[in-house]
Amino acid sequence: MNFDFSDDQKFLKSEARKFLDANASAAKVRKVLDDDGKAYDEALWKAVAEQGWLGAAIPEEHGGLGLGHLELCVIAEELGRAVAPIPFASTVYFLAEAVMLAGSDAQKAALLPKIAAGEVIGCLATSEGPGPVTAASVQASVSGGKLSGTKIPVTDGDIATHAVVLAKEGGKPGLFLVDLSSGVTREALKTLDPTRDAARLTFKDAPAERLGEAGEGLALLEQVMDRAAVLLAFEQCGGADKCLEMAKAYALERYAFGRVIASYQAIKHKLADMYVKNELARSNAYYGAWALNTNAPELPIAASAARIAASEAFWFGSKENIQTHGGIGFTWEVDAHLYYRRSRQLSLVAGAPRVWKERLVSHLERRNAA
């Protein structure tokens, strides 16, 4: 059995890295970070759309490349490595996946070509405050095709043109597609990672179209989350690998007491621990990629495992990268904090690891009981 990507997929990965090295340098990330009035890099967003990445998994009949989810995983890894300051995840992993999964033919025809062309920015609006999203926690409601309620926090909600919203209709949760051009007010929120902004969205009789059947909101949301978890895991793997590279490079050039610090046991242990966590995360991410690409029944388990391992690897790697750099690692001038910020943001954007651990245990219990 072949557990690796194909030669064509590896070529895509190589070309994606070259493109991002040239167009998404740390200096460009910092321009977004340092400018309170800039939520994302518009030039990079346009360039990514021109590359066709936004439509990598979108069928050709809807304006995409029709490559598949494995190719999207490859692109996601390189975007994570570059901590790209664009709303790629919100638009592709959540909005596009939700529409492809549960949208009607008319909804797909209307929205997917615009997503592939970069004309649409998406967001997922489910949370209404602290704690996991449940049927009891949903207060937003839809009546007569009009949505009212508040969602907070919504990643990329301040710049999104369309949202996938979890709301109740007839007392049962449903997923709804909402054009944010009317019936919504936005309040930008301060976040640890300003290159991926968040907002409070308040809906007042906003026109909403249901995705899927009535009352299936939570079931559809779980399916969207499973797909997004795998793709986010690849972003996290890319970021974790970059953290290890940065820590190793610094450890080999920094001298202390006449020796490079890489020769000290404590630093070796840090780098070894980072490597082990990264490899564990990658193994789980590959399992998730297979399950996602084949729509295997194991996807909920594979996605949960990938989400947990990748969140741990990226957070640990970003933290240990700072520690390996020592005092200078805590400064604004060193890029280590860019990865720490993104590791925290990615670990929460689709539910905290604690939630995914509970989901994994639940899925394993149900499988073992069957």
Short mmCIF file of all heavy atoms in Angstrom, two decimals, residues 92-148:
data_model
loop_
_atom_site.label_atom_id
_atom_site.label_comp_id
_atom_site.label_asym_id
_atom_site.label_seq_id
_atom_site.Cartn_x
_atom_site.Cartn_y
_atom_site.Cartn_z
N VAL A 92 -12.78 28.17 1.99
CA VAL A 92 -12.67 26.89 1.30
C VAL A 92 -13.06 25.72 2.19
O VAL A 92 -13.85 24.85 1.79
CB VAL A 92 -11.24 26.69 0.75
CG1 VAL A 92 -11.10 25.34 0.07
CG2 VAL A 92 -10.90 27.80 -0.23
N TYR A 93 -12.53 25.66 3.41
CA TYR A 93 -12.78 24.51 4.28
C TYR A 93 -14.20 24.51 4.84
O TYR A 93 -14.76 23.44 5.11
CB TYR A 93 -11.81 24.48 5.47
CG TYR A 93 -10.36 24.60 5.14
CD1 TYR A 93 -9.44 24.92 6.13
CD2 TYR A 93 -9.87 24.43 3.84
CE1 TYR A 93 -8.09 25.04 5.86
CE2 TYR A 93 -8.53 24.56 3.56
CZ TYR A 93 -7.63 24.88 4.57
OH TYR A 93 -6.31 25.02 4.30
N PHE A 94 -14.77 25.70 5.05
CA PHE A 94 -16.09 25.78 5.66
C PHE A 94 -17.19 26.11 4.66
O PHE A 94 -18.11 25.32 4.47
CB PHE A 94 -16.07 26.79 6.81
CG PHE A 94 -15.22 26.38 7.97
CD1 PHE A 94 -14.03 27.02 8.26
CD2 PHE A 94 -15.61 25.33 8.79
CE1 PHE A 94 -13.24 26.62 9.33
CE2 PHE A 94 -14.84 24.93 9.86
CZ PHE A 94 -13.64 25.57 10.13
N LEU A 95 -17.10 27.28 4.01
CA LEU A 95 -18.17 27.68 3.10
C LEU A 95 -18.27 26.74 1.90
O LEU A 95 -19.35 26.20 1.62
CB LEU A 95 -17.95 29.12 2.63
CG LEU A 95 -18.96 29.64 1.61
CD1 LEU A 95 -20.37 29.64 2.20
CD2 LEU A 95 -18.58 31.05 1.14
N ALA A 96 -17.17 26.54 1.18
CA ALA A 96 -17.22 25.71 -0.02
C ALA A 96 -17.61 24.27 0.32
O ALA A 96 -18.43 23.65 -0.39
CB ALA A 96 -15.88 25.74 -0.74
N GLU A 97 -17.04 23.73 1.39
CA GLU A 97 -17.36 22.35 1.77
C GLU A 97 -18.82 22.21 2.16
O GLU A 97 -19.48 21.21 1.83
CB GLU A 97 -16.46 21.89 2.91
CG GLU A 97 -15.01 21.64 2.52
CD GLU A 97 -14.87 20.50 1.51
OE1 GLU A 97 -15.59 19.50 1.62
OE2 GLU A 97 -14.02 20.63 0.61
N ALA A 98 -19.37 23.20 2.86
CA ALA A 98 -20.77 23.15 3.25
C ALA A 98 -21.68 23.18 2.03
O ALA A 98 -22.67 22.43 1.96
CB ALA A 98 -21.10 24.31 4.19
N VAL A 99 -21.36 24.03 1.07
CA VAL A 99 -22.19 24.13 -0.13
C VAL A 99 -22.07 22.86 -0.96
O VAL A 99 -23.07 22.34 -1.47
CB VAL A 99 -21.78 25.37 -0.97
CG1 VAL A 99 -22.51 25.39 -2.30
CG2 VAL A 99 -22.07 26.65 -0.19
N MET A 100 -20.85 22.31 -1.11
CA MET A 100 -20.69 21.08 -1.88
C MET A 100 -21.38 19.90 -1.19
O MET A 100 -21.90 19.01 -1.85
CB MET A 100 -19.20 20.78 -2.08
CG MET A 100 -18.52 21.70 -3.07
SD MET A 100 -16.88 21.13 -3.58
CE MET A 100 -15.94 21.37 -2.06
N LEU A 101 -21.40 19.92 0.14
CA LEU A 101 -21.99 18.82 0.89
C LEU A 101 -23.51 18.86 0.89
O LEU A 101 -24.17 17.84 0.68
CB LEU A 101 -21.48 18.85 2.34
CG LEU A 101 -22.08 17.81 3.30
CD1 LEU A 101 -21.62 16.41 2.92
CD2 LEU A 101 -21.69 18.13 4.74
N ALA A 102 -24.08 20.04 1.12
CA ALA A 102 -25.52 20.11 1.37
C ALA A 102 -26.27 21.11 0.51
O ALA A 102 -27.48 21.23 0.63
CB ALA A 102 -25.76 20.44 2.85
N GLY A 103 -25.56 21.82 -0.35
CA GLY A 103 -26.23 22.82 -1.17
C GLY A 103 -27.08 22.21 -2.27
O GLY A 103 -26.79 21.12 -2.77
N SER A 104 -28.11 22.94 -2.67
CA SER A 104 -28.92 22.52 -3.81
C SER A 104 -28.15 22.80 -5.10
O SER A 104 -27.12 23.48 -5.09
CB SER A 104 -30.24 23.31 -3.81
OG SER A 104 -29.99 24.69 -4.04
N ASP A 105 -28.65 22.28 -6.20
CA ASP A 105 -27.99 22.53 -7.49
C ASP A 105 -27.92 24.03 -7.77
O ASP A 105 -26.92 24.53 -8.29
CB ASP A 105 -28.74 21.82 -8.61
CG ASP A 105 -28.59 20.30 -8.55
OD1 ASP A 105 -27.64 19.83 -7.89
OD2 ASP A 105 -29.42 19.60 -9.16
N ALA A 106 -28.99 24.74 -7.44
CA ALA A 106 -29.02 26.19 -7.67
C ALA A 106 -28.01 26.91 -6.79
O ALA A 106 -27.32 27.84 -7.24
CB ALA A 106 -30.43 26.73 -7.41
N GLN A 107 -27.89 26.48 -5.54
CA GLN A 107 -26.93 27.11 -4.63
C GLN A 107 -25.50 26.85 -5.08
O GLN A 107 -24.64 27.73 -5.03
CB GLN A 107 -27.15 26.60 -3.20
CG GLN A 107 -28.43 27.12 -2.56
CD GLN A 107 -28.78 26.41 -1.27
OE1 GLN A 107 -28.43 25.26 -1.06
NE2 GLN A 107 -29.51 27.10 -0.39
N LYS A 108 -25.24 25.64 -5.51
CA LYS A 108 -23.90 25.30 -6.01
C LYS A 108 -23.56 26.12 -7.24
O LYS A 108 -22.46 26.67 -7.36
CB LYS A 108 -23.82 23.81 -6.33
CG LYS A 108 -23.88 22.91 -5.11
CD LYS A 108 -23.87 21.44 -5.53
CE LYS A 108 -23.98 20.52 -4.31
NZ LYS A 108 -24.03 19.09 -4.70
N ALA A 109 -24.49 26.21 -8.17
CA ALA A 109 -24.25 26.94 -9.42
C ALA A 109 -24.05 28.43 -9.16
O ALA A 109 -23.26 29.09 -9.85
CB ALA A 109 -25.41 26.73 -10.38
N ALA A 110 -24.73 28.96 -8.15
CA ALA A 110 -24.63 30.39 -7.87
C ALA A 110 -23.36 30.75 -7.11
O ALA A 110 -22.79 31.83 -7.34
CB ALA A 110 -25.86 30.83 -7.07
N LEU A 111 -22.91 29.89 -6.23
CA LEU A 111 -21.85 30.28 -5.29
C LEU A 111 -20.48 29.67 -5.59
O LEU A 111 -19.45 30.36 -5.46
CB LEU A 111 -22.27 29.92 -3.87
CG LEU A 111 -21.63 30.71 -2.74
CD1 LEU A 111 -21.81 32.21 -2.95
CD2 LEU A 111 -22.23 30.31 -1.40
N LEU A 112 -20.42 28.41 -5.96
CA LEU A 112 -19.12 27.75 -6.12
C LEU A 112 -18.22 28.42 -7.17
O LEU A 112 -17.01 28.57 -6.93
CB LEU A 112 -19.31 26.26 -6.45
CG LEU A 112 -19.90 25.41 -5.32
CD1 LEU A 112 -20.07 23.97 -5.76
CD2 LEU A 112 -19.01 25.48 -4.07
N PRO A 113 -18.75 28.85 -8.33
CA PRO A 113 -17.87 29.54 -9.29
C PRO A 113 -17.29 30.83 -8.71
O PRO A 113 -16.13 31.18 -9.00
CB PRO A 113 -18.80 29.84 -10.47
CG PRO A 113 -19.87 28.79 -10.39
CD PRO A 113 -20.09 28.60 -8.91
N LYS A 114 -18.06 31.52 -7.90
CA LYS A 114 -17.57 32.77 -7.29
C LYS A 114 -16.51 32.48 -6.24
O LYS A 114 -15.56 33.26 -6.07
CB LYS A 114 -18.74 33.55 -6.68
CG LYS A 114 -19.72 34.09 -7.71
CD LYS A 114 -20.82 34.90 -7.05
CE LYS A 114 -21.79 35.47 -8.08
NZ LYS A 114 -22.87 36.27 -7.45
N ILE A 115 -16.67 31.38 -5.52
CA ILE A 115 -15.65 30.99 -4.55
C ILE A 115 -14.34 30.68 -5.27
O ILE A 115 -13.27 31.14 -4.88
CB ILE A 115 -16.10 29.78 -3.71
CG1 ILE A 115 -17.28 30.15 -2.81
CG2 ILE A 115 -14.95 29.22 -2.88
CD1 ILE A 115 -17.87 28.98 -2.05
N ALA A 116 -14.43 29.90 -6.33
CA ALA A 116 -13.23 29.52 -7.09
C ALA A 116 -12.54 30.74 -7.68
O ALA A 116 -11.30 30.76 -7.81
CB ALA A 116 -13.62 28.54 -8.20
N ALA A 117 -13.30 31.76 -8.04
CA ALA A 117 -12.73 32.96 -8.65
C ALA A 117 -12.22 33.97 -7.64
O ALA A 117 -11.64 35.00 -8.00
CB ALA A 117 -13.77 33.62 -9.55
N GLY A 118 -12.45 33.71 -6.35
CA GLY A 118 -12.01 34.64 -5.32
C GLY A 118 -12.93 35.82 -5.13
O GLY A 118 -12.55 36.81 -4.48
N GLU A 119 -14.15 35.74 -5.67
CA GLU A 119 -15.10 36.85 -5.56
C GLU A 119 -15.89 36.80 -4.27
O GLU A 119 -16.59 37.76 -3.93
CB GLU A 119 -16.06 36.81 -6.75
CG GLU A 119 -15.37 36.97 -8.09
CD GLU A 119 -16.32 36.72 -9.26
OE1 GLU A 119 -17.52 36.53 -9.01
OE2 GLU A 119 -15.85 36.72 -10.41
N VAL A 120 -15.79 35.68 -3.56
CA VAL A 120 -16.54 35.47 -2.33
C VAL A 120 -15.58 35.14 -1.19
O VAL A 120 -14.61 34.41 -1.39
CB VAL A 120 -17.57 34.33 -2.51
CG1 VAL A 120 -18.04 33.78 -1.18
CG2 VAL A 120 -18.76 34.81 -3.33
N ILE A 121 -15.84 35.69 -0.02
CA ILE A 121 -15.12 35.32 1.20
C ILE A 121 -16.15 34.74 2.16
O ILE A 121 -17.22 35.34 2.38
CB ILE A 121 -14.41 36.53 1.84
CG1 ILE A 121 -13.31 37.03 0.92
CG2 ILE A 121 -13.85 36.17 3.21
CD1 ILE A 121 -12.62 38.29 1.41
N GLY A 122 -15.86 33.59 2.70
CA GLY A 122 -16.82 32.92 3.56
C GLY A 122 -16.47 32.96 5.03
O GLY A 122 -15.35 33.34 5.41
N CYS A 123 -17.41 32.55 5.85
CA CYS A 123 -17.16 32.37 7.28
C CYS A 123 -18.19 31.38 7.81
O CYS A 123 -19.22 31.14 7.19
CB CYS A 123 -17.22 33.69 8.05
SG CYS A 123 -18.85 34.47 8.08
N LEU A 124 -17.87 30.80 8.95
CA LEU A 124 -18.77 29.87 9.63
C LEU A 124 -19.21 30.50 10.94
O LEU A 124 -18.37 30.82 11.79
CB LEU A 124 -18.07 28.54 9.88
CG LEU A 124 -18.89 27.47 10.61
CD1 LEU A 124 -20.00 26.95 9.69
CD2 LEU A 124 -18.00 26.31 11.05
N ALA A 125 -20.51 30.67 11.11
CA ALA A 125 -21.05 31.33 12.31
C ALA A 125 -21.91 30.33 13.08
O ALA A 125 -23.07 30.10 12.72
CB ALA A 125 -21.86 32.56 11.91
N THR A 126 -21.33 29.75 14.11
CA THR A 126 -22.06 28.76 14.91
C THR A 126 -22.12 29.14 16.38
O THR A 126 -23.16 28.99 17.02
CB THR A 126 -21.40 27.37 14.78
OG1 THR A 126 -20.03 27.46 15.21
CG2 THR A 126 -21.45 26.88 13.34
N SER A 127 -21.02 29.63 16.92
CA SER A 127 -20.94 29.91 18.35
C SER A 127 -21.70 31.18 18.73
O SER A 127 -21.72 32.16 17.98
CB SER A 127 -19.47 30.06 18.76
OG SER A 127 -19.35 30.45 20.11
N GLU A 128 -22.29 31.15 19.92
CA GLU A 128 -22.96 32.33 20.45
C GLU A 128 -22.39 32.71 21.82
O GLU A 128 -23.02 33.44 22.59
CB GLU A 128 -24.47 32.08 20.53
CG GLU A 128 -25.08 31.81 19.16
CD GLU A 128 -26.59 31.63 19.19
OE1 GLU A 128 -27.21 31.94 20.25
OE2 GLU A 128 -27.16 31.20 18.18
N GLY A 129 -21.20 32.21 22.09
CA GLY A 129 -20.55 32.51 23.36
C GLY A 129 -19.64 31.36 23.77
O GLY A 129 -19.42 30.42 22.99
N PRO A 130 -19.10 31.41 24.99
CA PRO A 130 -18.19 30.36 25.45
C PRO A 130 -18.86 28.99 25.50
O PRO A 130 -20.08 28.89 25.71
CB PRO A 130 -17.79 30.85 26.86
CG PRO A 130 -18.10 32.31 26.88
CD PRO A 130 -19.28 32.48 25.98
N GLY A 131 -18.05 27.96 25.32
CA GLY A 131 -18.55 26.59 25.44
C GLY A 131 -18.83 25.96 24.09
O GLY A 131 -18.91 26.65 23.07
N PRO A 132 -18.99 24.64 24.09
CA PRO A 132 -19.25 23.92 22.84
C PRO A 132 -20.63 24.26 22.28
O PRO A 132 -21.53 24.65 23.01
CB PRO A 132 -19.17 22.45 23.26
CG PRO A 132 -19.46 22.44 24.72
CD PRO A 132 -18.91 23.72 25.25
N VAL A 133 -20.74 24.11 20.96
CA VAL A 133 -22.01 24.38 20.28
C VAL A 133 -22.93 23.16 20.42
O VAL A 133 -22.56 22.05 20.03
CB VAL A 133 -21.78 24.71 18.80
CG1 VAL A 133 -23.11 24.89 18.08
CG2 VAL A 133 -20.94 25.97 18.67
N THR A 134 -24.09 23.36 20.98
CA THR A 134 -25.09 22.29 21.13
C THR A 134 -26.45 22.83 20.70
O THR A 134 -26.62 24.04 20.48
CB THR A 134 -25.17 21.82 22.59
OG1 THR A 134 -25.62 22.91 23.41
CG2 THR A 134 -23.81 21.34 23.10
N ALA A 135 -27.42 21.94 20.62
CA ALA A 135 -28.77 22.37 20.26
C ALA A 135 -29.30 23.37 21.28
O ALA A 135 -29.99 24.34 20.92
CB ALA A 135 -29.70 21.16 20.18
N ALA A 136 -28.96 23.17 22.55
CA ALA A 136 -29.45 24.07 23.59
C ALA A 136 -28.79 25.44 23.54
O ALA A 136 -29.38 26.44 23.98
CB ALA A 136 -29.22 23.44 24.96
N SER A 137 -27.56 25.50 23.02
CA SER A 137 -26.82 26.77 23.01
C SER A 137 -27.23 27.68 21.85
O SER A 137 -26.88 28.86 21.82
CB SER A 137 -25.32 26.51 22.94
OG SER A 137 -24.94 26.02 21.66
N VAL A 138 -27.96 27.14 20.87
CA VAL A 138 -28.35 27.92 19.69
C VAL A 138 -29.60 28.73 19.98
O VAL A 138 -30.67 28.17 20.27
CB VAL A 138 -28.59 26.99 18.48
CG1 VAL A 138 -29.03 27.81 17.27
CG2 VAL A 138 -27.34 26.20 18.15
N GLN A 139 -29.47 30.05 19.92
CA GLN A 139 -30.61 30.94 20.13
C GLN A 139 -31.02 31.66 18.84
O GLN A 139 -32.16 32.10 18.73
CB GLN A 139 -30.25 31.99 21.19
CG GLN A 139 -29.91 31.39 22.55
CD GLN A 139 -31.04 30.57 23.15
OE1 GLN A 139 -32.20 30.99 23.14
NE2 GLN A 139 -30.73 29.39 23.65
N ALA A 140 -30.10 31.77 17.90
CA ALA A 140 -30.43 32.40 16.61
C ALA A 140 -31.55 31.59 15.95
O ALA A 140 -31.59 30.37 16.05
CB ALA A 140 -29.21 32.44 15.72
N SER A 141 -32.45 32.29 15.26
CA SER A 141 -33.60 31.60 14.69
C SER A 141 -33.93 32.12 13.30
O SER A 141 -33.61 33.26 12.95
CB SER A 141 -34.82 31.77 15.60
OG SER A 141 -35.18 33.14 15.70
N VAL A 142 -34.57 31.26 12.54
CA VAL A 142 -35.02 31.60 11.18
C VAL A 142 -36.53 31.41 11.11
O VAL A 142 -37.06 30.37 11.52
CB VAL A 142 -34.33 30.71 10.13
CG1 VAL A 142 -34.94 30.94 8.76
CG2 VAL A 142 -32.84 31.00 10.09
N SER A 143 -37.20 32.41 10.57
CA SER A 143 -38.65 32.32 10.39
C SER A 143 -39.01 33.03 9.08
O SER A 143 -38.61 34.18 8.86
CB SER A 143 -39.39 32.99 11.56
OG SER A 143 -40.79 32.94 11.38
N GLY A 144 -39.71 32.30 8.23
CA GLY A 144 -40.09 32.88 6.95
C GLY A 144 -38.90 33.26 6.09
O GLY A 144 -38.96 34.23 5.32
N GLY A 145 -37.81 32.51 6.21
CA GLY A 145 -36.62 32.80 5.42
C GLY A 145 -35.81 33.98 5.90
O GLY A 145 -34.91 34.46 5.20
N LYS A 146 -36.09 34.46 7.13
CA LYS A 146 -35.36 35.60 7.70
C LYS A 146 -34.66 35.16 8.99
O LYS A 146 -35.27 34.53 9.85
CB LYS A 146 -36.32 36.76 8.02
CG LYS A 146 -37.11 37.26 6.82
CD LYS A 146 -36.22 37.96 5.81
CE LYS A 146 -37.04 38.56 4.66
NZ LYS A 146 -36.21 39.26 3.68
N LEU A 147 -33.39 35.52 9.09
CA LEU A 147 -32.56 35.12 10.23
C LEU A 147 -32.34 36.26 11.19
O LEU A 147 -32.02 37.38 10.78
CB LEU A 147 -31.20 34.62 9.72
CG LEU A 147 -30.09 34.40 10.75
CD1 LEU A 147 -30.42 33.23 11.68
CD2 LEU A 147 -28.74 34.16 10.07
N SER A 148 -32.49 35.97 12.49
CA SER A 148 -32.20 36.95 13.53
C SER A 148 -31.42 36.27 14.65
O SER A 148 -31.67 35.10 14.98
CB SER A 148 -33.49 37.55 14.10
OG SER A 148 -34.17 38.29 13.11
#
